[in-house]
Amino acid sequence: MNKTELMEIIKNGENAYIEFKEENIKPKNLAEEFVAFSNSEGGTVLIGVSDDGNIVGVSDENIEEKIMNICRNNCIPNIIPTYEEINIDEMKVVVVNITKGISKPYYTTDNKYYIRVGTTKRIATREELMRLFEANGSIHFDISPVLNTSIKDLNMDVIRDYFFKYNTFDLYEEDKETVKRILINADILKEENNQVVCSVGGLLIFGNRPENKLPQNGISFAHFNGNEITDELIDKKVILGRLQDIAEQALVILRNNIKSPSKIKELKRDEKEEYPSIVLREAIVNSLVHRNYSIQGSKIRIFMFNDRIEIHSPGKLPNTVTIEKMKIGVSYARNPFLVKYMENMRYIDQLGRGIPMIMKSMKDLGAKEPLLYEIGEEFVIKIYTSGGLGGAH
């Protein structure tokens, strides 16, 4: 960073990625800032700048050593920053860059987990902390217990059919205690505080009405006659139920809303697919299996426009996964329980195969390359039609 860049940053003031601090800040408070940035998207701490943007400078000759000691001794796991000193009008400003952490969650020596929200830091809520642990692979939300549930919230007929087909034994031939133990071992049920309750994944795959206990479950679908969300709304539906049922229903709804262009060729109708069913199926199942179910109140959203289909899935990509890695098949099972059961039921062919298959299939049809990106707390995939600008019917 040069002097001009630094002056521009100071001029623009603090934001989600920039924090001003004076030299006399306590090590504990500085550690909290470093932890908050590491648990969020990273950021820069400017030491020697007051809250109102005035440059007050740093006089301590040992400031670099002190900062490195704070990162090493006051932050757990320790944080490795980049350090710069820039002189402005004979005053030294220290620039400490903190990257997005790869070993989340980070916390201070008094066992507090901070995150960055806007221009301030704050202690992470239970749900936010859960997501930090989940992002690091320390826990998996899909096998966490759902309070105030019991085996009665599960559809035993669906469970029996699953075990009979994939494990070749009949649950109905077992006594109640044995059945309970089998379901606990399968992570469909969980033992919590001397009670047996359903797991998140158990409800999502085998629940009677999963949305009653997990309102974030399901898909909201909307079809617009145009290419903008402000255009005429043609169809709108909320799809609920078990994940495998949602996948089937969503595919039917999408197919029913697609206008497939066709032309007469040698007295036969030549149908051209705007969106191959296998592409839609993969995109739907991917969103259901890999979304972040710890984000409550947010369903998967599917928008259909004349030129594209958008699937908005709650949750950022896990720590080690990037868009480019996804395109070549590198994946991470955020919800290994859901992956295992949906794979056994043949809804998933191979972990990591979905996105490359979608990209290749649409390329083979001559369509614009699907767009993958993150926005806020969502992962979005846009799949463009292979048939040009299709109209509504």
Side-chain angles (χ1 to χ4, degrees):
M1 183 183 297
N2 59 40
K3 178 179 175 180
T4 302
E5 292 170 335
L6 178 60
M7 291 298 294
E8 184 67 21
I9 289 173
I10 294 173
K11 177 184 175 181
N12 291 332
E14 293 179 317
N15 56 42
Y17 304 97
I18 301 294
E19 177 69 23
F20 298 159
K21 290 298 178 187
E22 296 188 36
E23 180 180 9
N24 59 1
I25 183 174
K26 295 179 180 178
K28 174 180 179 296
N29 294 336
L30 196 54
E32 292 169 359
E33 299 292 347
F34 294 160
V35 163
F37 277 132
S38 293
N39 280 333
S40 302
E41 296 299 309
T44 301
V45 179
L46 302 181
I47 302 175
V49 182
S50 65
D51 287 340
D52 56 7
N54 288 323
I55 299 173
V56 295
V58 174
S59 58
D60 189 346
E61 294 298 324
N62 298 316
I63 186 69
E64 181 176 2
E65 181 181 355
K66 290 180 179 178
I67 287 173
M68 294 304 173
N69 284 337
I70 290 171
C71 290
R72 186 183 305 113
N73 302 324
N74 297 64
C75 305
I76 307 171
N78 58 35
I79 292 169
I80 303 175
T82 59
Y83 178 94
E84 290 183 86
E85 293 181 2
I86 298 176
N87 291 316
I88 298 178
D89 297 332
E90 299 183 352
M91 287 187 289
K92 179 172 67 179
V93 175
V94 170
V95 180
V96 184
N97 287 305
I98 306 295
T99 59
K100 178 180 178 180
I102 60 173
S103 300
K104 297 179 183 179
Y106 294 81
Y107 58 100
T108 55
T109 48
D110 56 353
N111 294 312
K112 292 182 179 178
Y113 298 80
Y114 291 89
I115 60 171
R116 185 80 176 179
V117 179
T119 60
T120 62
K121 69 177 186 301
R122 65 169 170 78
I123 294 176
T125 65
R126 179 182 178 276
E127 290 74 21
E128 290 164 340
L129 186 57
M130 178 85 72
R131 291 203 288 273
L132 289 173
F133 276 108
E134 187 179 26
N136 192 36
S138 301
I139 62 170
H140 296 290
F141 187 77
D142 62 340
I143 58 171
S144 61
V146 181
L147 301 181
N148 301 316
T149 60
S150 71
I151 196 171
K152 293 180 181 179
D153 291 297
L154 301 175
N155 188 316
M156 293 305 298
D157 289 335
V158 175
I159 295 175
R160 183 224 185 179
D161 290 344
Y162 173 86
F163 277 99
F164 191 75
K165 185 172 183 180
Y166 301 106
N167 297 81
T168 64
F169 67 88
D170 192 344
L171 275 183
Y172 287 178
E173 294 178 354
E174 309 292 340
D175 59 65
K176 288 185 179 181
E177 191 59 35
T178 301
V179 169
K180 183 177 74 173
R181 185 51 50 189
I182 290 172
L183 298 187
I184 289 173
N185 290 336
D187 285 326
I188 296 170
L189 291 176
K190 302 292 288 187
E191 293 179 296
E192 180 76 6
N193 297 328
N194 297 320
Q195 291 184 322
V196 176
V197 298
C198 300
S199 69
V200 170
L203 281 177
L204 291 173
I205 300 291
F206 300 113
N208 283 314
R209 293 180 178 272
E211 59 277 1
N212 288 349
K213 301 296 182 179
L214 301 169
Q216 64 269 43
N217 179 49
I219 292 176
S220 295
F221 169 80
H223 182 187
F224 299 93
N225 185 18
N227 297 327
E228 303 295 335
I229 203 166
T230 52
D231 289 330
E232 175 194 2
L233 180 64
I234 299 174
D235 192 13
K236 183 178 181 181
K237 288 182 172 63
V238 176
I239 311 167
L240 303 174
R242 292 179 285 274
L243 294 197
Q244 58 271 38
D245 299 329
I246 292 174
E248 299 290 354
Q249 294 173 46
L251 181 59
V252 170
I253 289 170
L254 284 174
R255 298 302 302 170
N256 287 342
N257 275 270
I258 290 172
K259 180 183 179 181
S260 297
S262 62
K263 60 182 179 180
I264 302 299
K265 184 178 181 181
E266 296 179 356
L267 302 180
K268 295 181 180 179
R269 186 172 295 275
D270 180 27
E271 299 287 346
K272 181 179 180 182
E273 286 188 299
E274 291 186 87
Y275 306 96
S277 292
I278 189 172
V279 166
L280 297 179
R281 182 183 179 88
E282 286 284 350
I284 292 166
V285 172
N286 257 0
S287 67
L288 289 168
V289 168
H290 296 300
R291 69 149 288 179
N292 190 334
Y293 283 96
S294 68
I295 299 178
Q296 300 183 13
S298 297
K299 289 178 169 55
I300 295 164
R301 296 181 298 155
I302 299 181
F303 300 129
M304 177 179 282
F305 301 96
N306 286 359
D307 69 339
R308 70 193 185 278
I309 292 173
E310 296 183 9
I311 300 180
H312 295 242
S313 184
K316 295 181 179 180
L317 296 176
N319 275 356
T320 58
V321 179
T322 65
I323 300 295
E324 293 308 312
K325 285 182 178 181
M326 292 180 69
K327 290 180 179 180
I328 61 172
V330 177
S331 188
Y332 169 88
R334 185 200 302 275
N335 302 308
F337 175 98
L338 300 182
V339 169
K340 179 181 73 173
Y341 282 91
M342 291 292 277
E343 187 174 36
N344 287 346
M345 292 185 287
R346 303 296 187 265
Y347 285 90
I348 298 175
D349 181 21
Q350 182 181 345
L351 185 62
R353 178 180 178 271
I355 295 299
M357 188 281 296
I358 291 172
M359 306 292 286
K360 182 179 185 305
S361 295
M362 298 312 295
K363 180 181 179 180
D364 290 346
L365 288 172
K368 181 179 177 182
E369 180 178 295
L371 182 62
L372 286 66
Y373 62 95
E374 290 181 302
I375 179 169
E377 287 292 327
E378 287 187 324
F379 171 73
V380 180
I381 178 170
K382 292 184 180 181
I383 305 173
Y384 297 90
T385 175
S386 64
L389 296 181
H393 52 220

